[in-house]
Amino acid sequence: MRKLVQTCLFAFALLTSAFANNVEPNPTQPAPSPLEGRWDITVDMAGKMAPSWLEVRHSGNHTLIGQFTSVSGSARPISEVIFKDGKFSFEIPPQWEKGDGKFKLEGTLTGEKIAGSVTTPEGKTFPYTGVRAPSLRRTAAPVWGTPIKLTDGNVIKGWHAVGENQWIAENGILRSPKSGANLITDEKFNDFKLHVEFRIPKGSNSGVYLRGRYEVQVTDSKGMEPSLDQLGAIYGFLVPSEMMAKDPGEWQSFDITLVGRMLTLVTNGKTVITNQEIPGITGGALDSNEGEPGPLYIQGDHGPVEYRNIVITPAK
């Protein structure tokens, strides 16, 4: 029996070696393409500057892939980025855009900048420019300053609406009774800790944008699996480890720490994202200037929602 086992093991080793010799990938790492990396993009949509974002990375020896965030919607995968002689292009299926065509982007790399055009699924073409996104890596731990309460009393202070304002302040609660304008803080912030409480009715939807660029989803998600577009997700990028949603109509809470790109999120008392990197802006961002401070903004255009006890503690 021992001899039989030894023979079988020897035969298995020979087969394993032969298979490895036949399929082992080339161990030589390809030189990185100059297009690889993350890009903060601004699209000129008939005079209105709108933010987008692009990431390009290599797959195997000679293929470039990536992901892209348009002016709306979530980050979506790019199966191949074509790059030759300083010019590049890709196309992806439509997401929330109107039209049945492909979303197309083409451009030219010049040093540390890109420029070109985007064509929407309905056939409209707009020019864009882009710069390399900053890493936002911090070299020292933050020193926290004085907490700032952003909800109080029956007057909206420290916020402004984009569009016709439907928001109402009542006993320290910011209430949006119907879909309408988004609400943005007058002050801008860099790194911070944030406590926010919210309440939404069944089927409603909102979001909290950090620095005006990274949306934390506020959705009616009780009983759902964690996903990229439900409660506690960084829309399109980070999925929470657990779904901690309460029933619609109940008060819920986020406790958020944002340092550079690194995010920790506590939902209803449970840590569901621990020091994870946010790669880039999410759809609906105010701009793509990731190296700059930005405001908080709360989404009021996706249904009724209430917020209270919004307290931000900025880093000094």
Side-chain angles (χ1 to χ4, degrees):
M1 176 64 70
R2 180 181 299 175
K3 187 173 182 179
L4 176 61
V5 171
Q6 290 175 338
T7 302
C8 290
L9 289 174
F10 179 70
F12 178 76
L14 288 176
L15 286 171
T16 302
S17 176
F19 180 77
N21 288 334
N22 286 330
V23 302
E24 184 179 3
N26 187 345
T28 303
Q29 290 293 325
S33 165
L35 187 62
E36 287 186 51
R38 296 168 177 169
W39 300 89
D40 286 339
I41 292 172
T42 301
V43 183
D44 184 349
M45 302 186 73
K48 180 182 178 182
M49 299 297 109
S52 289
W53 175 86
L54 170 66
E55 181 179 40
V56 178
R57 60 186 185 274
H58 70 266
S59 176
N61 291 322
H62 51 75
T63 302
L64 294 177
I65 62 172
Q67 54 182 335
F68 177 74
T69 302
S70 187
V71 298
S72 63
S74 65
R76 48 190 129 162
I78 306 167
S79 60
E80 184 173 13
V81 179
I82 305 300
F83 180 53
K84 184 177 181 181
D85 298 329
K87 297 184 180 299
F88 64 95
S89 64
F90 65 83
E91 60 179 42
I92 51 180
Q95 192 182 57
W96 299 107
E97 300 91 357
K98 297 178 181 178
D100 298 324
K102 298 286 189 181
F103 188 102
K104 301 177 182 178
L105 184 146
E106 58 183 21
T108 301
L109 171 67
T110 305
E112 296 296 289
K113 296 182 179 181
I114 57 175
S117 64
V118 296
T119 301
T120 70
E122 58 181 338
K124 296 181 180 179
T125 299
F126 304 102
Y128 74 86
T129 58
V131 297
R132 285 201 182 273
S135 70
L136 302 183
R137 294 192 182 279
R138 306 305 192 217
T139 58
V143 177
W144 303 111
T146 302
I148 303 169
K149 190 167 186 179
L150 295 170
T151 50
D152 192 25
N154 298 310
V155 179
I156 298 177
K157 294 181 179 179
W159 301 82
H160 60 275
V162 178
E164 185 176 349
N165 183 26
Q166 83 285 356
W167 290 88
I168 302 166
E170 295 178 333
N171 300 317
I173 297 173
L174 286 174
R175 183 166 65 90
S176 177
K178 61 180 181 178
S179 295
N182 298 324
L183 205 58
I184 302 173
T185 59
D186 298 333
E187 189 173 351
K188 295 182 178 182
F189 306 95
N190 201 342
D191 296 343
F192 56 79
K193 294 190 294 185
L194 175 68
H195 175 82
V196 56
E197 298 173 16
F198 53 89
R199 180 166 64 179
I200 58 173
K202 186 173 180 60
S204 195
N205 184 310
S206 183
V208 179
Y209 279 77
L210 313 177
R211 299 195 196 113
R213 301 181 188 111
Y214 316 117
E215 183 187 9
V216 186
Q217 286 282 81
V218 173
T219 54
D220 173 21
S221 304
K222 179 68 178 290
M224 296 184 181
E225 287 295 313
S227 68
L228 288 169
D229 61 353
Q230 295 300 325
L231 184 76
I234 305 303
Y235 185 40
F237 283 125
L238 301 181
V239 179
S241 60
E242 295 183 49
M243 176 53 71
M244 297 301 299
K246 297 182 180 181
D247 289 324
E250 289 192 51
W251 283 105
Q252 306 188 61
S253 67
F254 287 149
D255 287 282
I256 298 166
T257 303
L258 180 64
V259 178
R261 294 185 180 278
M262 308 308 292
L263 176 106
T264 295
L265 171 64
V266 179
T267 300
N268 294 326
K270 178 76 172 184
T271 302
V272 294
I273 298 176
T274 303
N275 201 38
Q276 294 295 302
E277 182 185 44
I278 304 175
I281 68 169
T282 60
L286 297 177
D287 61 49
S288 57
N289 305 324
E290 292 190 90
E292 300 177 3
L296 291 179
Y297 100 69
I298 52 180
Q299 199 173 51
D301 61 355
H302 279 51
V305 65
E306 295 175 304
Y307 287 90
R308 71 180 184 186
N309 294 333
I310 302 178
V311 180
I312 190 167
T313 304
K316 293 182 179 179

